[in-house]
Amino acid sequence: MEFNLLHSDKETKARAGNIISDHGEIETPIFMPVGTAATVKAVHQRELKDDIGAQIILGNTYHLYLRPGINILEQAGGLHKFIGWDKPILTDSGGYQVFSLAEMRKLKEEGVTFQSHIDGSKHTFTPENVVDTQRSIGADIIMALDECPPGDSDFRYAQKSMELTHRWLKRGVDHFHNTGPKYGHSQSFFPIVQGSSFKDLRKQSAEFIAGFGMEGNAIGGLSVGEPAEVMYEMTDVVTDILPQDKPRYLMGVGTPANILESIALGVDMFDCVMPTRNARNGMLFTSEGIINIKNKKWENDFSPIDTQGPTFVDSFYSKAYLRHLIISKEILGAQIASIHNLGFYLCLVKEARKQIIAGTFSKWKNNMITKVSERL
RNA sequence: GGGGAGAUUCCAGAGCGGUCAAACGGGGUAGACUGUAAAUCUAUUGGCUAAGCCUUCGGAGGUUCGAAUCCUCCUCUCCCCA
């Protein structure tokens, strides 16, 4: 994998670049749709590629390991072939499940033991075996196993947690170097900065992570309950330290406004379930603002979903129709809303990239944040 | 024509003398959702001059300190047998 930094904004820390992987190029800043269980929920691969313009998607190690299982993925020849996606894939290590399935796991020095949310069976993830699993999945970018502590963790816990993540990282990197890809294309390994809401810890973690000289670096443990201001502050501290010539990935972020602010802080890659999950729950992100399509006010609004929207659904279907579908829990509603939201996200980062290259990012960003945050 | 069951707040359906503005669902309305245990979850759902008051349980009377709950008559629905 290669990263070319093309432009750096003068007023902010925003950057435009290219990531070149064996599955093609990614133009940064980029948003990566989340496809946890071998599918970006409610969206076809063809729509993802042709309509939405996704350049890379996510998968999740924990979920894929439980179902369909590594054996099936290996028989399929890897996740790309299994799902019919020939562009890059990034897999999360299962670190987030340490956080989201907190009540069903045990943390130890060796690794983390989960109780499957499907059948209750016990499984242990270690820094080493998640590398193996991600080798079998065949993701282009694989993530280190980390502990993602809650946003309101106290200093002592945050420090302990960060140190564990660092020890795990060392083991993970070693194992990554001692193993190789299984399907012919190369894989990159991203370490993850932790440190919760403490600047000192974040700094320390970023320095530690940078020391490994991996092909990209991630910022984790944010957007987990802390105020947005804290998230920006932490991101700001970290991007000052992480190498300029490697892509930075802010994990799990966020709202359109979060993404624009973080681009300004020097982040290149994002992922978030928000556009897809919220779509299924009736929330639409548009360039005019946020729409709760379930609200009565849209009942007889037969105007297009988003006249400025980049995807075919935006002009093809009306708000009233989409409202009907979502309220009736019709599957098509989830499909339309998901395509719309993802299309909007991808379009947003594409425009941000243009503005960075044109040198007009700062002004555009501030204006855009006000618009996209408004509630319609 | 004979016999039986029932009418409850938007729907459906509990309640069978006070703790009932009335359970549980559904529907309605609003909110949440950030490396997906989520096509999920939460709140609210008679009115008001709102820790109180007013009007509601088919209709009209009655019994009782007190009735959605008991009695009488009326209206209407449904089921079974002819």
Side-chain angles (χ1 to χ4, degrees), chain A residues 116-140:
Chain A
S116 158
H117 67 281
I118 299 163
D119 62 5
S121 55
K122 283 184 183 143
H123 306 269
T124 300
F125 277 23
T126 66
E128 293 85 6
N129 74 16
V130 299
V131 169
D132 294 334
T133 302
Q134 292 178 96
R135 291 279 194 205
S136 296
I137 292 169
D140 299 86

mmCIF file of all heavy atoms in Angstrom, chain A residues 116-140:
data_model
loop_
_atom_site.group_PDB
_atom_site.id
_atom_site.type_symbol
_atom_site.label_atom_id
_atom_site.label_comp_id
_atom_site.label_asym_id
_atom_site.label_seq_id
_atom_site.Cartn_x
_atom_site.Cartn_y
_atom_site.Cartn_z
ATOM 1 N N SER A 116 -20.209 -15.422 22.610
ATOM 2 C CA SER A 116 -20.900 -15.130 21.356
ATOM 3 C C SER A 116 -22.300 -14.593 21.625
ATOM 4 O O SER A 116 -23.041 -15.151 22.432
ATOM 5 C CB SER A 116 -20.999 -16.408 20.525
ATOM 6 O OG SER A 116 -22.054 -16.296 19.588
ATOM 7 N N HIS A 117 -22.657 -13.523 20.928
ATOM 8 C CA HIS A 117 -24.014 -12.973 21.091
ATOM 9 C C HIS A 117 -25.022 -13.844 20.365
ATOM 10 O O HIS A 117 -26.220 -13.672 20.507
ATOM 11 C CB HIS A 117 -24.066 -11.539 20.558
ATOM 12 C CG HIS A 117 -23.889 -11.451 19.066
ATOM 13 N ND1 HIS A 117 -22.654 -11.540 18.459
ATOM 14 C CD2 HIS A 117 -24.788 -11.315 18.072
ATOM 15 C CE1 HIS A 117 -22.819 -11.439 17.142
ATOM 16 N NE2 HIS A 117 -24.105 -11.315 16.883
ATOM 17 N N ILE A 118 -24.522 -14.815 19.585
ATOM 18 C CA ILE A 118 -25.428 -15.658 18.813
ATOM 19 C C ILE A 118 -25.832 -16.897 19.621
ATOM 20 O O ILE A 118 -27.011 -17.189 19.764
ATOM 21 C CB ILE A 118 -24.774 -16.090 17.486
ATOM 22 C CG1 ILE A 118 -24.451 -14.840 16.658
ATOM 23 C CG2 ILE A 118 -25.683 -17.036 16.707
ATOM 24 C CD1 ILE A 118 -23.469 -15.092 15.543
ATOM 25 N N ASP A 119 -24.821 -17.606 20.148
ATOM 26 C CA ASP A 119 -25.166 -18.847 20.857
ATOM 27 C C ASP A 119 -24.525 -18.959 22.247
ATOM 28 O O ASP A 119 -24.640 -20.003 22.894
ATOM 29 C CB ASP A 119 -24.795 -20.065 20.002
ATOM 30 C CG ASP A 119 -23.291 -20.134 19.730
ATOM 31 O OD1 ASP A 119 -22.540 -19.301 20.280
ATOM 32 O OD2 ASP A 119 -22.876 -21.009 18.963
ATOM 33 N N GLY A 120 -23.844 -17.911 22.679
ATOM 34 C CA GLY A 120 -23.274 -17.946 24.026
ATOM 35 C C GLY A 120 -21.936 -18.661 24.139
ATOM 36 O O GLY A 120 -21.329 -18.662 25.211
ATOM 37 N N SER A 121 -21.466 -19.255 23.053
ATOM 38 C CA SER A 121 -20.196 -19.985 23.103
ATOM 39 C C SER A 121 -19.031 -19.021 23.341
ATOM 40 O O SER A 121 -19.119 -17.835 23.033
ATOM 41 C CB SER A 121 -19.982 -20.738 21.794
ATOM 42 O OG SER A 121 -20.069 -19.847 20.696
ATOM 43 N N LYS A 122 -17.950 -19.556 23.939
ATOM 44 C CA LYS A 122 -16.817 -18.708 24.304
ATOM 45 C C LYS A 122 -15.717 -18.720 23.251
ATOM 46 O O LYS A 122 -15.381 -19.772 22.709
ATOM 47 C CB LYS A 122 -16.251 -19.163 25.650
ATOM 48 C CG LYS A 122 -17.115 -18.694 26.801
ATOM 49 C CD LYS A 122 -16.537 -19.035 28.160
ATOM 50 C CE LYS A 122 -17.504 -18.586 29.244
ATOM 51 N NZ LYS A 122 -17.534 -19.523 30.378
ATOM 52 N N HIS A 123 -15.141 -17.548 23.003
ATOM 53 C CA HIS A 123 -14.085 -17.402 22.002
ATOM 54 C C HIS A 123 -13.058 -16.405 22.500
ATOM 55 O O HIS A 123 -13.419 -15.385 23.063
ATOM 56 C CB HIS A 123 -14.666 -16.902 20.683
ATOM 57 C CG HIS A 123 -15.793 -17.755 20.181
ATOM 58 N ND1 HIS A 123 -15.599 -18.814 19.328
ATOM 59 C CD2 HIS A 123 -17.122 -17.727 20.448
ATOM 60 C CE1 HIS A 123 -16.757 -19.390 19.083
ATOM 61 N NE2 HIS A 123 -17.700 -18.755 19.754
ATOM 62 N N THR A 124 -11.781 -16.719 22.273
ATOM 63 C CA THR A 124 -10.741 -15.800 22.714
ATOM 64 C C THR A 124 -10.083 -15.119 21.517
ATOM 65 O O THR A 124 -9.698 -15.776 20.547
ATOM 66 C CB THR A 124 -9.678 -16.562 23.526
ATOM 67 O OG1 THR A 124 -10.334 -17.138 24.666
ATOM 68 C CG2 THR A 124 -8.590 -15.613 24.005
ATOM 69 N N PHE A 125 -10.003 -13.805 21.610
ATOM 70 C CA PHE A 125 -9.286 -13.024 20.606
ATOM 71 C C PHE A 125 -7.978 -12.548 21.225
ATOM 72 O O PHE A 125 -7.977 -11.992 22.323
ATOM 73 C CB PHE A 125 -10.110 -11.796 20.176
ATOM 74 C CG PHE A 125 -11.143 -12.091 19.114
ATOM 75 C CD1 PHE A 125 -11.641 -13.363 18.936
ATOM 76 C CD2 PHE A 125 -11.610 -11.079 18.283
ATOM 77 C CE1 PHE A 125 -12.586 -13.635 17.954
ATOM 78 C CE2 PHE A 125 -12.557 -11.338 17.301
ATOM 79 C CZ PHE A 125 -13.050 -12.614 17.132
ATOM 80 N N THR A 126 -6.882 -12.788 20.523
ATOM 81 C CA THR A 126 -5.591 -12.295 20.982
ATOM 82 C C THR A 126 -5.037 -11.372 19.896
ATOM 83 O O THR A 126 -5.509 -11.410 18.751
ATOM 84 C CB THR A 126 -4.604 -13.458 21.193
ATOM 85 O OG1 THR A 126 -4.315 -14.056 19.922
ATOM 86 C CG2 THR A 126 -5.178 -14.512 22.135
ATOM 87 N N PRO A 127 -4.048 -10.579 20.250
ATOM 88 C CA PRO A 127 -3.440 -9.690 19.244
ATOM 89 C C PRO A 127 -2.932 -10.486 18.057
ATOM 90 O O PRO A 127 -2.925 -9.988 16.929
ATOM 91 C CB PRO A 127 -2.273 -9.049 19.990
ATOM 92 C CG PRO A 127 -2.635 -9.139 21.438
ATOM 93 C CD PRO A 127 -3.454 -10.380 21.587
ATOM 94 N N GLU A 128 -2.494 -11.728 18.315
ATOM 95 C CA GLU A 128 -1.970 -12.562 17.236
ATOM 96 C C GLU A 128 -3.090 -13.180 16.413
ATOM 97 O O GLU A 128 -3.058 -13.110 15.175
ATOM 98 C CB GLU A 128 -1.079 -13.693 17.808
ATOM 99 C CG GLU A 128 0.220 -13.218 18.442
ATOM 100 C CD GLU A 128 0.062 -12.789 19.911
ATOM 101 O OE1 GLU A 128 -1.036 -12.969 20.470
ATOM 102 O OE2 GLU A 128 1.033 -12.278 20.499
ATOM 103 N N ASN A 129 -4.067 -13.787 17.096
ATOM 104 C CA ASN A 129 -5.050 -14.520 16.292
ATOM 105 C C ASN A 129 -5.997 -13.613 15.510
ATOM 106 O O ASN A 129 -6.568 -14.035 14.518
ATOM 107 C CB ASN A 129 -5.770 -15.610 17.107
ATOM 108 C CG ASN A 129 -6.803 -15.086 18.097
ATOM 109 O OD1 ASN A 129 -7.237 -13.938 18.027
ATOM 110 N ND2 ASN A 129 -7.208 -15.938 19.032
ATOM 111 N N VAL A 130 -6.146 -12.363 15.918
ATOM 112 C CA VAL A 130 -6.960 -11.474 15.073
ATOM 113 C C VAL A 130 -6.205 -11.096 13.798
ATOM 114 O O VAL A 130 -6.819 -10.794 12.773
ATOM 115 C CB VAL A 130 -7.455 -10.188 15.792
ATOM 116 C CG1 VAL A 130 -8.348 -10.540 16.977
ATOM 117 C CG2 VAL A 130 -6.327 -9.280 16.211
ATOM 118 N N VAL A 131 -4.859 -11.145 13.853
ATOM 119 C CA VAL A 131 -4.087 -10.942 12.620
ATOM 120 C C VAL A 131 -4.321 -12.136 11.698
ATOM 121 O O VAL A 131 -4.621 -11.970 10.510
ATOM 122 C CB VAL A 131 -2.575 -10.781 12.926
ATOM 123 C CG1 VAL A 131 -1.751 -10.838 11.638
ATOM 124 C CG2 VAL A 131 -2.326 -9.464 13.657
ATOM 125 N N ASP A 132 -4.233 -13.344 12.270
ATOM 126 C CA ASP A 132 -4.489 -14.548 11.471
ATOM 127 C C ASP A 132 -5.875 -14.498 10.838
ATOM 128 O O ASP A 132 -6.036 -14.799 9.651
ATOM 129 C CB ASP A 132 -4.398 -15.802 12.351
ATOM 130 C CG ASP A 132 -2.979 -16.049 12.869
ATOM 131 O OD1 ASP A 132 -2.022 -15.597 12.194
ATOM 132 O OD2 ASP A 132 -2.835 -16.670 13.934
ATOM 133 N N THR A 133 -6.860 -14.159 11.660
ATOM 134 C CA THR A 133 -8.231 -14.125 11.160
ATOM 135 C C THR A 133 -8.376 -13.099 10.035
ATOM 136 O O THR A 133 -8.997 -13.366 9.009
ATOM 137 C CB THR A 133 -9.215 -13.811 12.304
ATOM 138 O OG1 THR A 133 -9.058 -14.805 13.315
ATOM 139 C CG2 THR A 133 -10.646 -13.823 11.825
ATOM 140 N N GLN A 134 -7.740 -11.962 10.220
ATOM 141 C CA GLN A 134 -7.839 -10.929 9.183
ATOM 142 C C GLN A 134 -7.017 -11.300 7.939
ATOM 143 O O GLN A 134 -7.325 -10.862 6.832
ATOM 144 C CB GLN A 134 -7.430 -9.564 9.741
ATOM 145 C CG GLN A 134 -8.449 -9.065 10.780
ATOM 146 C CD GLN A 134 -8.079 -7.723 11.413
ATOM 147 O OE1 GLN A 134 -8.548 -6.682 10.980
ATOM 148 N NE2 GLN A 134 -7.235 -7.759 12.429
ATOM 149 N N ARG A 135 -6.014 -12.108 8.119
ATOM 150 C CA ARG A 135 -5.302 -12.669 6.956
ATOM 151 C C ARG A 135 -6.266 -13.568 6.179
ATOM 152 O O ARG A 135 -6.290 -13.563 4.954
ATOM 153 C CB ARG A 135 -4.097 -13.502 7.414
ATOM 154 C CG ARG A 135 -2.943 -12.705 8.045
ATOM 155 C CD ARG A 135 -2.062 -12.087 7.007
ATOM 156 N NE ARG A 135 -0.788 -11.589 7.503
ATOM 157 C CZ ARG A 135 -0.108 -10.614 6.901
ATOM 158 N NH1 ARG A 135 -0.596 -10.025 5.812
ATOM 159 N NH2 ARG A 135 1.061 -10.207 7.372
ATOM 160 N N SER A 136 -7.030 -14.358 6.907
ATOM 161 C CA SER A 136 -7.975 -15.280 6.258
ATOM 162 C C SER A 136 -9.122 -14.535 5.593
ATOM 163 O O SER A 136 -9.627 -14.952 4.552
ATOM 164 C CB SER A 136 -8.558 -16.256 7.287
ATOM 165 O OG SER A 136 -7.534 -17.066 7.804
ATOM 166 N N ILE A 137 -9.551 -13.461 6.220
ATOM 167 C CA ILE A 137 -10.599 -12.645 5.613
ATOM 168 C C ILE A 137 -10.047 -11.997 4.345
ATOM 169 O O ILE A 137 -10.741 -11.866 3.341
ATOM 170 C CB ILE A 137 -11.094 -11.571 6.606
ATOM 171 C CG1 ILE A 137 -11.839 -12.235 7.779
ATOM 172 C CG2 ILE A 137 -11.999 -10.561 5.908
ATOM 173 C CD1 ILE A 137 -12.146 -11.304 8.943
ATOM 174 N N GLY A 138 -8.786 -11.599 4.416
ATOM 175 C CA GLY A 138 -8.133 -11.023 3.240
ATOM 176 C C GLY A 138 -8.339 -9.532 3.070
ATOM 177 O O GLY A 138 -8.228 -9.013 1.951
ATOM 178 N N ALA A 139 -8.620 -8.827 4.153
ATOM 179 C CA ALA A 139 -8.804 -7.380 4.056
ATOM 180 C C ALA A 139 -7.514 -6.699 3.626
ATOM 181 O O ALA A 139 -6.423 -7.166 3.934
ATOM 182 C CB ALA A 139 -9.245 -6.824 5.408
ATOM 183 N N ASP A 140 -7.648 -5.601 2.888
ATOM 184 C CA ASP A 140 -6.482 -4.844 2.442
ATOM 185 C C ASP A 140 -5.832 -4.106 3.607
ATOM 186 O O ASP A 140 -4.620 -3.946 3.651
ATOM 187 C CB ASP A 140 -6.907 -3.831 1.375
ATOM 188 C CG ASP A 140 -7.506 -4.532 0.172
ATOM 189 O OD1 ASP A 140 -8.726 -4.818 0.198
ATOM 190 O OD2 ASP A 140 -6.764 -4.851 -0.767
#
